[in-house]
Amino acid sequence: MQITLDTRPFDALETEALVSYIFEDGDVTQGRAAELDKLTGGLLGRLIKSGESTGKALETTLVHTPAGLKAARLLVIGAGKREQFTTATLRKVGGVALRYLKSRSVHNFVFSVREGDATEEKAQAITEGAIAADFETDKYKTEKKNNKHIESLAIGGYSEGERAAGEKGITRGRIIAEAQNFARDLVNEPSNKLTPRILAEKAQAMAKEAGLEVETLDEKKIAELKMGALLSVAQGSVEPPRMIVITYNPANPKPGAPVVGLVGKAVTFDTGGISIKPADGMEKMKYDMAGGATMLGIMRALAALKPNVKVICVVPSTENMPGGRAQKPGDIQTAMSGKTIEVLNTDAEGRLILADGIHYAKLLGATHLVDAATLTGAIVVALANVNVGVFGSDQAWTDKLLASAKAAGEKMWQLPMDDEYREFIKGSFADIQNIGSGKGGGSITGAWFIREFAGDTPWIHLDIAGTAWNDEAKSWLAKGPTGVALRTLVHLVMSL
Ligand code: BES
Ligand code: ZN
Ligand code: ZN
């Protein structure tokens, strides 16, 4: 999809569809809305007065051959309450526009921003919204909807003076959203098409193309390095594990600057192992590598955005299978750090592979850690599919992430990590156990387990089990992988 900036006035736009947005107050007497209303002989005012358009967030009204315009259609989208309108709303409105028009076989459209919205940030958001909305999960369908694709989107409402800012926003938005779709593509792959070995190959190819340093540890190297926690999960499968390491080196590194370690869980399929999961819904466990995919996508974006910060990405990848050699409840494993772990539940495998991933990232020089993982079903109980669960060992570092989440328009909510919860994972027969012995707080005990391996290094854990997968299509996003946390973490690194 081509995305350009268009500075022409409304009545000069020859397009299949012109898109604009209105607020719930129904006020079209000012700025761009007034201009459009006047040109169309009061059309906007009539739509609102009749009650057909209310401005309610993401509501759509389509008018064919609107008088006064060269555009074949006018699509009016609700943007909600004017005082609550944010860049995040506009990102969604952009996504809704694309999916609405694409499904109606439109091939090109102009999305015109309102007065005050002709900024770099808003152009970036519309671009991100549109590219993410364009992602479909029909890769393995033999009959594709061939005629349904958007060829070009022009972002309008900018003056010539605002062109440079708008175009900068488009460029940045494209880099970020294409990285997000790269991650979603990986998450969408079923486990027979994406084993740890295949994931490592794809990561390698991406890194080479992006000009990033990459090294994959195979099962032999993993054993040599004594990554016992990762190996314990992998031993139940015939597919060997991989530890993917990608490094971004800035051109002019500042001495003493932070080195960010991004660690992502990539269990390409989680059966639960011997503590096997119920059959119902187990097919979804192909997305148990979403944390790893997100981190790979971030590296792809950073290679193009070129921040002045070193970033080390570590992705431990394995299947969690109940094979004949699988670990069993009660088994005691020694992690790479030397800590011993009592595996009380083989389905709490994500924290095991992250233990070695985190430790390895520290060995490679990471001074600030973030991990992302589809770690617990309990986070769905706590926050449903709305917020990412955030856990941190250092409030200043965590606050930076929460600020980036806000700026990137991703909902994240910090949960507590009181010392009391740490008691839950004290081991009876080893240093720690991989599930809590107390009742409840499953996401927090999971976080505490990982934190044991981060030690004093400032660390954040993102539990994306509830947010990495859309069970139902939204009007701005397809059903399936969401690519959540990518935009936030790109923003975080860029802000350092
Ligand atoms: N991959 C799952 C977590 C998960 C659940 C992801 C639902 C996405 C949707 C994880 O490995 C797991 O099985 N966690 C267990 C932990 C428990 C045994 C302490 C869980 O949440 O049930
Ligand atoms: Zn599991
Ligand atoms: Zn899992």
Side-chain angles (χ1 to χ4, degrees):
M1 175 172 49
Q2 197 194 351
I3 305 181
T4 53
L5 201 88
D6 201 323
T7 58
R8 289 175 299 168
F10 286 133
D11 53 353
L13 298 171
E14 265 182 75
T15 174
E16 288 182 37
L18 170 64
V19 184
S20 191
Y21 45 99
I22 58 166
F23 298 104
E24 273 181 39
D25 58 17
D27 182 3
V28 291
T29 62
Q30 295 167 51
R32 312 281 304 165
E35 239 175 84
L36 188 58
D37 191 49
K38 209 155 147 207
L39 266 175
T40 55
L43 175 61
L44 284 185
R46 281 198 302 281
L47 285 176
I48 291 162
K49 201 156 170 228
S50 69
E52 193 172 342
S53 298
T54 65
K56 226 183 105 222
L58 310 184
E59 169 199 81
T60 46
T61 315
L62 184 69
V63 179
H64 279 262
T65 50
L69 297 177
K70 290 202 180 95
R73 300 170 187 80
L74 174 66
L75 174 62
V76 181
I77 305 182
K81 292 203 165 55
R82 192 183 293 261
E83 61 280 9
Q84 286 173 7
F85 180 73
T86 61
T87 304
T89 319
L90 190 58
R91 187 181 288 105
K92 274 189 194 169
V93 170
V96 167
L98 183 131
R99 290 191 76 76
Y100 184 95
L101 294 170
K102 181 161 90 165
S103 70
R104 284 160 182 80
S105 301
V106 167
H107 299 103
N108 66 73
F109 68 100
V110 179
F111 186 102
S112 189
V113 298
R114 295 280 299 258
E115 59 281 6
D117 286 344
T119 64
E120 178 182 337
E121 180 186 306
K122 295 286 201 297
Q124 179 184 334
I126 296 162
T127 304
E128 287 169 357
I131 292 177
D134 203 21
F135 178 87
E136 304 289 356
T137 49
D138 59 357
K139 180 171 172 189
Y140 292 108
K141 294 209 175 182
T142 53
E143 268 180 47
K144 293 211 176 45
K145 301 173 198 154
N146 277 330
N147 193 34
K148 308 232 187 260
H149 57 266
I150 299 288
E151 273 153 22
S152 68
L153 154 62
I155 301 179
Y158 285 66
S159 67
E160 272 310 319
E162 293 155 339
R163 174 182 287 281
E167 286 179 343
K168 231 172 132 190
I170 292 173
T171 303
R172 179 183 279 243
R174 179 182 285 284
I175 291 168
I176 293 173
E178 285 179 350
Q180 189 176 343
N181 286 352
F182 168 81
R184 292 165 80 198
D185 230 341
L186 293 174
V187 177
N188 188 47
E189 290 292 328
S191 76
N192 63 326
K193 309 273 187 198
L194 192 89
T195 60
R197 279 185 293 180
I198 299 173
L199 179 65
E201 277 165 22
K202 287 184 190 258
Q204 197 110 15
M206 180 279 287
K208 289 253 158 71
E209 204 185 318
L212 292 161
E213 194 185 310
V214 57
E215 193 195 358
T216 300
L217 312 184
D218 62 11
E219 66 275 26
K220 263 173 70 189
K221 195 82 206 207
I222 290 169
E224 246 173 69
L225 289 171
K226 298 198 165 63
M227 295 179 169
L230 170 60
L231 279 174
S232 79
V233 179
Q235 74 188 46
S237 172
V238 293
E239 286 293 338
R242 289 292 181 264
M243 182 73 92
I244 305 160
V245 182
I246 300 181
T247 309
Y248 167 78
N249 282 301
N252 304 301
K254 273 208 195 107
V259 176
V260 179
L262 302 176
V263 184
K265 169 180 175 182
V267 173
T268 58
F269 197 84
D270 183 9
T271 67
I274 296 300
S275 313
I276 200 161
K277 287 180 181 297
D280 193 28
M282 202 203 269
E283 73 282 355
K284 262 181 72 180
M285 281 303 118
K286 69 172 188 174
Y287 90 93
D288 212 20
M289 34 61 71
T294 298
M295 296 315 194
L296 295 174
I298 290 165
M299 296 310 284
R300 187 184 192 268
L302 293 179
L305 295 171
K306 303 199 188 312
N308 200 26
V309 193
K310 180 169 174 173
V311 183
I312 304 166
C313 168
V314 176
V315 177
S317 184
T318 177
E319 288 186 335
N320 187 23
M321 296 285 285
R325 290 188 188 280
Q327 68 176 335
K328 299 167 283 295
D331 284 3
I332 292 177
Q333 311 290 0
T334 305
M336 188 188 192
S337 75
K339 255 195 214 322
T340 55
I341 304 165
E342 201 178 334
V343 179
L344 296 184
N345 189 314
T346 65
D347 196 11
E349 86 297 341
R351 59 200 75 181
L352 294 174
I353 74 169
L354 289 171
D356 285 341
I358 292 266
H359 183 77
Y360 196 54
K362 285 206 319 181
L363 280 185
L364 295 176
T367 64
H368 289 72
L369 295 162
V370 185
D371 80 68
T374 46
L375 202 80
T376 64
I379 203 69
V380 188
V381 178
L383 301 172
N385 62 349
V386 178
N387 274 281
V388 170
V390 178
F391 304 82
S393 65
D394 179 284
Q395 200 53 42
W397 179 228
T398 310
D399 284 341
K400 269 199 166 66
L401 171 108
L402 292 170
S404 286
K406 249 213 167 81
E410 294 190 302
K411 289 186 194 277
M412 302 206 178
W413 193 260
Q414 188 178 1
L415 285 124
M417 289 211 73
D418 305 85
D419 285 333
E420 281 89 335
Y421 297 106
R422 188 183 193 171
E423 300 299 313
F424 292 18
I425 54 162
K426 279 234 164 99
S428 309
F429 305 102
D431 297 339
I432 48 174
Q433 55 191 41
N434 79 330
I435 57 169
S437 48
K439 277 218 177 83
S443 301
I444 305 176
T445 46
W448 255 116
F449 183 95
I450 303 167
R451 182 170 170 176
E452 290 289 330
F453 297 87
D456 294 333
T457 307
W459 155 89
I460 295 163
H461 160 60
L462 302 177
D463 195 333
I464 58 170
T467 44
W469 189 269
N470 261 343
D471 280 325
E472 270 153 46
K474 314 257 191 208
S475 56
W476 64 92
L477 211 68
K479 172 178 173 163
T482 62
V484 73
L486 181 140
R487 289 203 315 266
T488 296
L489 293 177
V490 168
H491 188 280
L492 176 67
V493 172
M494 297 306 291
S495 73
L496 292 177

Short mmCIF file of all heavy atoms in Angstrom, two decimals, residues 265 270 277 285 287-288 345 347-349 351 374-378 435 465, ligand 1:
data_model
loop_
_atom_site.label_atom_id
_atom_site.label_comp_id
_atom_site.label_asym_id
_atom_site.label_seq_id
_atom_site.Cartn_x
_atom_site.Cartn_y
_atom_site.Cartn_z
N LYS A 265 9.61 -14.58 25.22
CA LYS A 265 9.24 -16.01 25.28
C LYS A 265 8.78 -16.48 23.91
O LYS A 265 7.88 -15.90 23.32
CB LYS A 265 8.11 -16.20 26.30
CG LYS A 265 7.44 -17.60 26.26
CD LYS A 265 6.32 -17.74 27.29
CE LYS A 265 5.59 -19.08 27.17
NZ LYS A 265 4.47 -19.23 28.12
N ASP A 270 2.65 -24.80 23.13
CA ASP A 270 2.61 -25.14 24.55
C ASP A 270 1.46 -26.12 24.82
O ASP A 270 0.31 -25.73 24.95
CB ASP A 270 2.42 -23.86 25.39
CG ASP A 270 2.44 -24.13 26.88
OD1 ASP A 270 2.77 -25.27 27.28
OD2 ASP A 270 2.13 -23.19 27.65
N LYS A 277 -2.44 -29.57 29.08
CA LYS A 277 -3.59 -28.67 29.02
C LYS A 277 -4.81 -29.41 28.51
O LYS A 277 -4.68 -30.40 27.78
CB LYS A 277 -3.29 -27.51 28.05
CG LYS A 277 -2.29 -26.49 28.55
CD LYS A 277 -2.08 -25.41 27.50
CE LYS A 277 -1.05 -24.37 27.96
NZ LYS A 277 -1.45 -23.62 29.16
N MET A 285 -2.48 -22.27 21.51
CA MET A 285 -1.13 -22.21 22.10
C MET A 285 -0.01 -22.11 21.07
O MET A 285 1.16 -22.12 21.40
CB MET A 285 -0.92 -23.38 23.06
CG MET A 285 -1.57 -23.14 24.40
SD MET A 285 -0.99 -21.61 25.18
CE MET A 285 -2.49 -20.67 25.30
N TYR A 287 0.27 -19.38 19.69
CA TYR A 287 0.68 -17.98 19.89
C TYR A 287 1.54 -17.79 21.13
O TYR A 287 1.83 -16.66 21.54
CB TYR A 287 -0.52 -17.04 19.85
CG TYR A 287 -1.29 -16.72 21.13
CD1 TYR A 287 -0.98 -15.61 21.90
CD2 TYR A 287 -2.38 -17.48 21.53
CE1 TYR A 287 -1.71 -15.27 23.04
CE2 TYR A 287 -3.11 -17.17 22.66
CZ TYR A 287 -2.77 -16.07 23.42
OH TYR A 287 -3.49 -15.74 24.54
N ASP A 288 2.01 -18.89 21.70
CA ASP A 288 2.82 -18.80 22.91
C ASP A 288 4.25 -18.32 22.61
O ASP A 288 5.10 -18.29 23.50
CB ASP A 288 2.83 -20.16 23.62
CG ASP A 288 2.93 -20.02 25.12
OD1 ASP A 288 2.62 -18.93 25.64
OD2 ASP A 288 3.32 -21.01 25.78
N ASN A 345 5.01 -27.77 38.10
CA ASN A 345 4.03 -27.83 37.01
C ASN A 345 4.75 -27.56 35.70
O ASN A 345 5.32 -26.49 35.50
CB ASN A 345 2.93 -26.78 37.26
CG ASN A 345 1.76 -26.94 36.30
OD1 ASN A 345 1.95 -27.11 35.10
ND2 ASN A 345 0.55 -26.89 36.82
N ASP A 347 3.62 -26.98 32.95
CA ASP A 347 2.94 -25.98 32.10
C ASP A 347 3.40 -24.56 32.44
O ASP A 347 3.11 -23.63 31.71
CB ASP A 347 1.43 -26.12 32.27
CG ASP A 347 0.66 -25.42 31.17
OD1 ASP A 347 1.29 -25.02 30.17
OD2 ASP A 347 -0.58 -25.29 31.30
N ALA A 348 4.10 -24.40 33.54
CA ALA A 348 4.68 -23.08 33.86
C ALA A 348 6.08 -23.06 33.26
O ALA A 348 7.09 -22.95 33.97
CB ALA A 348 4.68 -22.84 35.36
N GLU A 349 6.14 -23.21 31.92
CA GLU A 349 7.41 -23.38 31.22
C GLU A 349 8.01 -22.06 30.74
O GLU A 349 9.21 -21.96 30.54
CB GLU A 349 7.22 -24.34 30.03
CG GLU A 349 6.73 -23.70 28.72
CD GLU A 349 5.36 -23.06 28.82
OE1 GLU A 349 4.61 -23.40 29.76
OE2 GLU A 349 5.01 -22.24 27.96
N ARG A 351 8.40 -19.18 32.22
CA ARG A 351 9.33 -18.60 33.20
C ARG A 351 10.65 -19.36 33.22
O ARG A 351 11.70 -18.79 33.52
CB ARG A 351 8.65 -18.54 34.57
CG ARG A 351 8.23 -19.89 35.09
CD ARG A 351 7.16 -19.79 36.17
NE ARG A 351 5.84 -19.45 35.63
CZ ARG A 351 4.74 -19.28 36.37
NH1 ARG A 351 4.81 -19.39 37.68
NH2 ARG A 351 3.60 -18.98 35.81
N THR A 374 3.68 -14.43 26.86
CA THR A 374 2.33 -14.92 27.10
C THR A 374 2.45 -15.85 28.29
O THR A 374 2.47 -17.07 28.15
CB THR A 374 1.82 -15.67 25.86
OG1 THR A 374 2.87 -16.56 25.42
CG2 THR A 374 1.46 -14.74 24.73
N LEU A 375 2.56 -15.27 29.48
CA LEU A 375 3.02 -16.05 30.63
C LEU A 375 1.92 -16.76 31.41
O LEU A 375 2.09 -17.91 31.80
CB LEU A 375 3.84 -15.19 31.59
CG LEU A 375 4.76 -16.05 32.47
CD1 LEU A 375 6.02 -16.45 31.70
CD2 LEU A 375 5.14 -15.34 33.76
N THR A 376 0.81 -16.06 31.67
CA THR A 376 -0.19 -16.67 32.56
C THR A 376 -1.63 -16.47 32.10
O THR A 376 -2.01 -15.40 31.61
CB THR A 376 -0.09 -16.09 34.00
OG1 THR A 376 -0.42 -14.70 33.96
CG2 THR A 376 1.30 -16.29 34.57
N GLY A 377 -2.44 -17.50 32.33
CA GLY A 377 -3.88 -17.37 32.14
C GLY A 377 -4.45 -16.41 33.19
O GLY A 377 -5.46 -15.75 32.96
N ALA A 378 -3.76 -16.31 34.32
CA ALA A 378 -4.25 -15.47 35.42
C ALA A 378 -4.30 -13.99 35.04
O ALA A 378 -5.11 -13.23 35.58
CB ALA A 378 -3.36 -15.66 36.65
N ILE A 435 5.87 -22.73 40.43
CA ILE A 435 4.51 -22.19 40.64
C ILE A 435 4.37 -21.79 42.10
O ILE A 435 5.11 -22.27 42.96
CB ILE A 435 3.38 -23.19 40.25
CG1 ILE A 435 3.51 -24.50 41.04
CG2 ILE A 435 3.36 -23.45 38.76
CD1 ILE A 435 2.28 -25.40 40.89
N ALA A 465 -0.35 -12.41 27.76
CA ALA A 465 -1.21 -13.57 27.46
C ALA A 465 -2.62 -13.14 27.06
O ALA A 465 -3.26 -13.78 26.22
CB ALA A 465 -1.25 -14.51 28.66
N1 BES B 1 1.29 -20.22 27.78
C1 BES B 1 0.64 -20.33 29.02
C2 BES B 1 -0.11 -19.07 29.43
C3 BES B 1 -1.27 -18.67 28.57
C4 BES B 1 -2.56 -18.95 28.96
C5 BES B 1 -1.07 -17.94 27.42
C6 BES B 1 -3.61 -18.54 28.19
C7 BES B 1 -2.13 -17.53 26.67
C8 BES B 1 -3.41 -17.83 27.05
C9 BES B 1 1.64 -20.63 30.14
O1 BES B 1 2.76 -21.35 29.76
C10 BES B 1 0.92 -21.45 31.14
O2 BES B 1 0.49 -22.49 30.83
N2 BES B 1 0.77 -20.91 32.35
C11 BES B 1 0.08 -21.56 33.38
C12 BES B 1 0.84 -21.34 34.67
C13 BES B 1 0.34 -22.16 35.82
C14 BES B 1 0.63 -23.62 35.58
C15 BES B 1 1.01 -21.67 37.08
C16 BES B 1 -1.32 -20.99 33.46
O3 BES B 1 -1.48 -19.79 33.30
O4 BES B 1 -2.25 -21.75 33.65
#
